[in-house]
Amino acid sequence: MTTWDGFQAFATTPVAAPPPPGTPRRSLEERLAYHSRFVTVRTPAIDALAKNVRTLMILGRHQTVTARPSLIVTGPAGAGKTTALLQVGRTCHLAHIRRHGAAAAAGQVPVAYVLVPPAASAKTLATEFARYLGIPVAAGMSQAQITNAVCHTYTAAKVQLVMIDEVHRLNPRTTTGAQSADLIKDLTERIGATFVYAGIDVTTTPLFTGVRGAQLAGRASLIDCAAFPARLGDEEPFRNLVKAMETALDLRHHRPGTLPQLVPYLHERTAGRIGSLARLIRQAAITALLDGTERITKATLDAIRLDHLAEQHYQPRTRPRSRTTSTL
């Protein structure tokens, strides 16, 4: 995914979808593969991000004097930040092809996706930008030389959207972190693209502190991928999410309505995080296919070991053992 060829393959591969009514039954192997990939449920965070990215890309299209406005996607681990980022990147890529045609778009790179390496220095981060487009980086090249090559190549390839993930790894309080933050600021001013960042609880990290943090906060809007609440006013967003995932299942004996009935349990089990919920349902579906039951029950869900964060949060309620007193 962190190379142009990988991202292009992701963006152009048809998304997973349940079989339309009346179509022949899929084989066991096909359904195992389907539940492994599974559907991406359209969430409010994805909708908000897509709308804001489109608006900012239009807003910054002819802006040449200063850096274009940017977006930061923040939230706890497992809240769907990377999924939202990649889905918006896919949409942007496909829209570019529809607008210009596959032949005309050949050689152009509308979207770039870069991961911030752990303890990133400015040079290692610049190298990640170079690696995405396959820009040769010799051992003796300086950071300035790599950055110049990146800016030239990204501009020539007409990159319109730059997505930087794991941005919480940057710590401007350290020397290397400050240099990396300065590099990103430099890139936003030299590459004519809209920049979108994603990271875990970004507002609580040092990224928003000091002079560099103030510059970032002054240019970036914030989209919060919070955990799904059980209730939000009169709405039940988590229940809607569970219903959408159950509708997408391809199990022959699963009883519709089973998972929505388990919403309180599912919310407590996953702390409302879409990543944990998707993993739980996918693993339960694969288990149901492998053991031949072809349905998900609470017993199936109870047997799944989830990520450590979810398991730490979940405290199953056990009925206290009744005490009896004996009389002589």
Side-chain angles (χ1 to χ4, degrees):
M1 199 72 74
T2 54
T3 64
W4 166 234
D5 289 342
F7 184 85
Q8 187 177 31
F10 158 77
T12 55
T13 299
V15 297
T23 56
R25 288 183 173 181
R26 296 193 282 196
S27 68
L28 175 62
E29 286 303 320
E30 288 174 326
R31 290 185 296 142
L32 285 171
Y34 164 69
H35 287 101
S36 176
R37 292 176 59 201
F38 209 44
V39 298
T40 298
V41 177
R42 194 84 181 182
T43 64
I46 293 178
D47 289 336
L49 182 58
K51 180 180 179 180
N52 279 274
V53 165
R54 184 171 183 271
T55 302
L56 291 186
M57 289 177 71
I58 295 172
L59 180 65
R61 188 170 293 165
H62 303 290
Q63 184 172 330
T64 56
V65 178
T66 59
R68 291 158 177 77
S70 56
L71 282 170
I72 296 178
V73 184
T74 185
K81 299 178 297 299
T82 297
T83 298
L85 206 64
L86 292 176
Q87 291 307 310
V88 170
R90 182 208 296 268
T91 300
C92 178
H93 175 86
L94 295 178
H96 180 81
I97 292 177
R98 286 194 302 269
R99 188 162 54 247
H100 299 284
Q108 298 181 8
V109 180
V111 179
Y113 176 69
V114 176
L115 285 178
V116 175
S121 67
K123 187 172 183 179
T124 58
L125 183 55
T127 301
E128 284 300 302
F129 276 88
R131 189 173 68 86
Y132 181 80
L133 282 187
I135 303 170
V137 176
M141 290 178 69
S142 67
Q143 176 204 321
Q145 289 174 318
I146 300 171
T147 302
N148 288 337
V150 165
C151 292
H152 172 77
T153 308
Y154 275 54
T155 300
K158 300 186 183 299
V159 175
Q160 301 172 10
L161 177 64
V162 177
M163 305 184 299
I164 305 178
D165 208 349
E166 305 288 349
V167 74
H168 58 272
R169 291 175 173 172
L170 293 177
N171 183 0
R173 292 176 182 171
T174 66
T175 301
T176 55
Q179 291 171 350
S180 298
D182 287 343
L183 170 67
I184 290 178
K185 180 177 179 294
D186 188 27
L187 294 177
T188 63
E189 293 173 347
R190 297 177 61 185
I191 298 173
T194 297
F195 279 66
V196 180
Y197 314 92
I200 297 173
D201 296 331
V202 173
T203 54
T204 64
T205 69
L207 200 60
F208 272 5
T209 60
V211 175
R212 293 175 178 85
Q215 287 180 326
L216 180 61
R219 291 176 175 176
S221 305
L222 205 66
I223 292 181
D224 194 355
C225 278
F228 276 66
R231 298 194 67 88
L232 187 62
D234 294 331
E235 298 181 353
E236 297 181 81
F238 189 77
R239 181 180 294 274
N240 295 337
L241 182 63
V242 171
K243 284 181 179 178
M245 289 188 178
E246 184 182 66
T247 301
L249 291 173
D250 190 7
L251 299 174
R252 293 173 185 171
H253 304 309
H254 183 77
R255 186 163 56 96
T258 299
L259 297 185
Q261 290 176 356
L262 297 173
V263 159
Y265 160 78
L266 290 170
H267 192 272
E268 185 177 4
R269 182 83 192 273
T270 63
R273 288 190 294 268
I274 187 172
S276 298
L277 177 67
R279 175 175 169 178
L280 179 61
I281 292 178
R282 287 165 58 215
Q283 282 190 234
I286 290 172
T287 298
L289 286 168
L290 293 176
D291 66 19
T293 59
E294 298 257 356
R295 62 178 178 270
I296 297 177
T297 64
K298 187 173 182 297
T300 313
L301 297 167
D302 278 336
I304 303 294
R305 293 293 296 176
L306 269 180
D307 56 276
H308 184 60
L309 196 61
E311 293 294 346
Q312 277 189 316
H313 168 82
Y314 178 56
Q315 298 294 331
R317 294 185 177 88
T318 56
R319 182 176 298 176
R321 185 179 298 175
S322 60
R323 296 181 179 178
T324 58
T325 56
S326 59
T327 57
L328 296 178

